[in-house]
Amino acid sequence: MVQHFKPQIFGDRKPVYDGKKNIYTVTALPIGNERVDFEVTIPGEGKDRIFKVSIKWLAIVSWRMLHEALVSGQIPVPLESVQALDVAMRHLASMRYTPVGRSFFSPPEGYYHPLGGGREVWFGFHQSVRPAMWKMMLNIDVSATAFYKAQPVIEFMCEVLDIRNIDEQPKPLTDSQRVRFTKEIKGLKVEVTHCGQMKRKYRVCNVTRRPASHQTFPLQLESGQTVECTVAQYFKQKYNLQLKYPHLPCLQVGQEQKHTYLPLEVCNIVAGQRCIKKLTDNQTSTMIKATARSAPDRQEEISRLMKNASYNLDPYIQEFGIKVKDDMTEVTGRVLPAPILQYGGRNRAIATPNQGVWDMRGKQFYNGIEIKVWAIACFAPQKQCREEVLKNFTDQLRKISKDAGMPIQGQPCFCKYAQGADSVEPMFRHLKNTYSGLQLIIVILPGKTPVVGSMDAHPSRYCATVRVQRPRQEIIEDLSYMVRELLIQFYKSTRFKPTRIIFYRDGVPEGQLPQILHYELLAIRDACIKLEKDYQPGITYIVVQKRHHTRLFCADKNERIGKSGNIPAGTTVDTNITHPFEFDFYLCSHAGIQPSPLPNLGPLTFLSSQGTSRPSHYYVLWDDNRFTADELQILTYQLCHTYVRCTRSVSIPAPAYYARLVAFRARYHLVDKEHDSGEGSHISGQSNGRDPQALAKAVQVHQDTLRTMYFA
């Protein structure tokens, strides 16, 4: 459009486009305030496509107002100016690369990281502009995501179904194979290969139940007569193409009601399609291994990205008078002191973490409970886990638990073998109904022995309350009632009301911070007033963000920690790269690690220290309690040391982590057992008509576990 209408409209201007409905130019277009309509022709597969485009002047975006906001720190940052700057910075990259959100990717060159199932890793870079103290900052980071491999659909199918050679599949697909294949290819774009250079593209809507040799469609003859014709016959007659695999199904493409069928062997997966479906555990593990970088390696890669990008030579960036400094910004960070952790027992031992890690050996829980009624459910085959092995295990467990200050007394009230998944529910129902006061069930699986217990270790006691939300609803709608429940539980436990409430809020999109704060702050206050009219505790509302691309690197190589060369645990930064006038800070509370993706072992199963630490970003949106920056940062850092699953500090405060675990548990409570199959669990309430009351009941925490940390 710009090239075609250059003489009449655009002249020498270099407009930038946000990919949606806005274009920006340095000077106004000669169209006045009236709308101008164009017709733009874009070459397509087979025939050109004509689009109607309208342009209308909207507003002036002021760089001066943005500059004043950054320098003065007294007027709000104009978001429309930030957006325009971001669009100008991204315009050239969006034409050169495949954009995904705020990142850009290009096909693999010089590397190949297959994930299996027709997927592969693509590397790219993240780019965004952010307001900071005195100036705007360009946030650059390396990025990686999964794309579908550009390959023949036959090969894609073989990868999905674990078929080594297509010749090993002489028979039609089974129903289960077809369902698996359909699940993976549905929604993907394919291009045809049987029409020479005209590689027309289609989107897959389904996979046929019948093979190409039997799948029919209504074919209209030249005489006007309509006959039923198989796909295999049609391709033989129309294209003189004898199908090699007529026993395989066809892809149904385009609109489902139009019955357009394509044999698998004439289709290729279109390049550049990002995989938005969930990766398997193995694929996630492979992705983590392929993308893990030590901090120095990541720093070098980002610097190389900056050099190759040549922002100051970008004609669009030059057009808008923007200049970018190629070097990383140097900031001053502080390393907060690690908290002293108090243990219990006779010796009242203390532990001082070193780089976020400490040792519990020789120490006892601060206030460990006594386990009197406990059971063992062994799901390992008796051949693999003999009775004498079980006995030795229980003896060792009792010894270790006593040493840790949480004694497990006597013999288990129940210790039996069970076979298969069908035995789980009957066995647990029997335990629940037969043994009152049952405190602990130890489940033994082949090779893994997770132990789940309850303990009361100050300041680590939390209880949970859960609600079901509508999809894509960011505000916690029922927050007032939830806070009220927790305040009541707090009073029952301690016999006093909190004078200060510190609310760590996870998962808030940056663009919705003001709206969410307004609603949820009022909800917390409402919960307090409903309990007692004059009850007005100070509220501090802090948003915790992990999904960002800010990375911190040691300027002094001698300060790097461990093999991964990361910044020390406890590093905090609250200048230069933070907001020009709002209260926010970055805190790296943990040692740099590469986590295992295996969910059944918990989110903190560690493989090795070879990743780059990601600091958490904290926005203090409201603070009645008037904490100093030091007080809030130290409190936040200390709370990262109270996570009960491990003797190391974690990346966000323990209560925020527990909230994630509670939500993860609640998903399982919503799974409808009748629909839980190999094809994926059906979440109740989406299509089977369960009402909101039933959903609320499904996630309600039982009274017996309300005061226990069942989620930990």
Side-chain angles (χ1 to χ4, degrees), residues 539-606:
I539 299 168
T540 300
Y541 187 103
I542 307 168
V543 168
V544 188
Q545 291 181 328
K546 278 289 290 180
R547 293 188 175 184
H548 61 80
H549 281 269
T550 300
R551 298 292 184 273
L552 304 173
F553 305 101
C554 290
D556 184 348
K557 294 181 180 180
N558 296 321
E559 294 179 344
R560 293 173 180 170
I561 300 298
K563 293 180 181 179
S564 57
N566 274 295
I567 56 176
T571 299
T572 183
V573 172
D574 56 10
T575 60
N576 288 45
I577 58 172
T578 49
H579 197 276
F581 52 84
E582 291 175 359
F583 181 8
D584 67 318
F585 61 92
Y586 291 91
L587 170 62
C588 184
S589 53
H590 61 295
I593 51 174
Q594 177 186 326
S596 163
L598 302 178
N600 59 325
L601 298 182
L604 284 173
T605 301
F606 305 113

Side-chain angles (χ1 to χ4, degrees), residues 412-615:
C413 62
F414 175 96
C415 180
K416 289 189 178 180
Y417 291 90
Q419 299 296 327
D422 294 339
S423 307
V424 177
E425 190 170 350
M427 181 178 282
F428 277 74
R429 191 184 296 114
H430 169 75
L431 289 168
K432 178 185 174 185
N433 296 336
T434 307
Y435 303 100
S436 62
L438 184 63
Q439 295 169 280
L440 177 67
I441 301 172
I442 297 169
V443 178
I444 298 177
L445 304 171
K448 306 178 185 73
T449 312
V451 179
V452 181
S454 171
M455 68 173 183
D456 178 8
H458 183 79
S460 301
R461 278 189 55 202
Y462 296 90
C463 64
T465 180
V466 191
R467 297 293 190 278
V468 177
Q469 290 238 128
R470 291 175 294 165
R472 293 180 174 82
Q473 174 63 37
E474 300 295 346
I475 289 172
I476 305 174
E477 293 176 303
D478 213 10
L479 183 62
S480 177
Y481 292 97
M482 297 171 79
V483 171
R484 183 175 180 273
E485 286 176 24
L486 295 175
L487 288 171
I488 291 171
Q489 286 298 325
F490 185 89
Y491 184 79
K492 286 180 179 178
S493 178
T494 64
R495 308 312 301 172
F496 65 86
K497 296 172 290 186
T499 56
R500 291 185 287 191
I501 295 174
I502 302 170
F503 191 85
Y504 284 97
R505 177 66 156 90
D506 190 15
V508 179
E510 205 163 296
Q512 297 184 33
L513 291 176
Q515 305 94 298
I516 291 176
L517 169 68
H518 176 75
Y519 179 93
E520 295 186 356
L521 187 63
L522 290 178
I524 297 170
R525 285 176 171 166
D526 182 62
C528 297
I529 292 169
K530 281 180 178 174
L531 285 175
E532 196 174 287
K533 188 176 180 181
D534 296 326
Y535 178 44
Q536 298 178 353
I539 299 168
T540 300
Y541 187 103
I542 307 168
V543 168
V544 188
Q545 291 181 328
K546 278 289 290 180
R547 293 188 175 184
H548 61 80
H549 281 269
T550 300
R551 298 292 184 273
L552 304 173
F553 305 101
C554 290
D556 184 348
K557 294 181 180 180
N558 296 321
E559 294 179 344
R560 293 173 180 170
I561 300 298
K563 293 180 181 179
S564 57
N566 274 295
I567 56 176
T571 299
T572 183
V573 172
D574 56 10
T575 60
N576 288 45
I577 58 172
T578 49
H579 197 276
F581 52 84
E582 291 175 359
F583 181 8
D584 67 318
F585 61 92
Y586 291 91
L587 170 62
C588 184
S589 53
H590 61 295
I593 51 174
Q594 177 186 326
S596 163
L598 302 178
N600 59 325
L601 298 182
L604 284 173
T605 301
F606 305 113
L607 293 180
S608 59
S609 300
Q610 56 180 329
T612 304
S613 297
R614 186 203 307 253

Side-chain angles (χ1 to χ4, degrees), residues 252-291:
Q252 187 174 357
V253 297
Q255 296 178 351
E256 203 154 353
Q257 63 269 24
K258 288 194 175 180
H259 303 289
T260 304
Y261 304 109
L262 295 171
L264 303 187
E265 61 197 78
V266 303
C267 299
N268 289 341
I269 302 291
V270 172
Q273 296 185 82
R274 183 196 173 207
C275 175
I276 58 173
K277 293 170 184 170
K278 187 179 178 182
L279 300 183
T280 66
D281 289 343
N282 285 338
Q283 289 172 341
T284 304
S285 177
T286 304
M287 171 74 90
I288 289 174
K289 289 174 184 175
T291 58

Side-chain angles (χ1 to χ4, degrees), residues 341-357:
L341 303 173
Q342 178 72 63
Y343 280 89
R346 291 180 180 177
N347 59 358
R348 309 290 289 178
I350 62 171
T352 303
N354 179 24
Q355 292 307 321
V357 181

Side-chain angles (χ1 to χ4, degrees), residues 330-343:
E330 287 205 2
V331 297
T332 302
R334 298 179 299 130
V335 179
L336 301 178
I340 295 173
L341 303 173
Q342 178 72 63
Y343 280 89

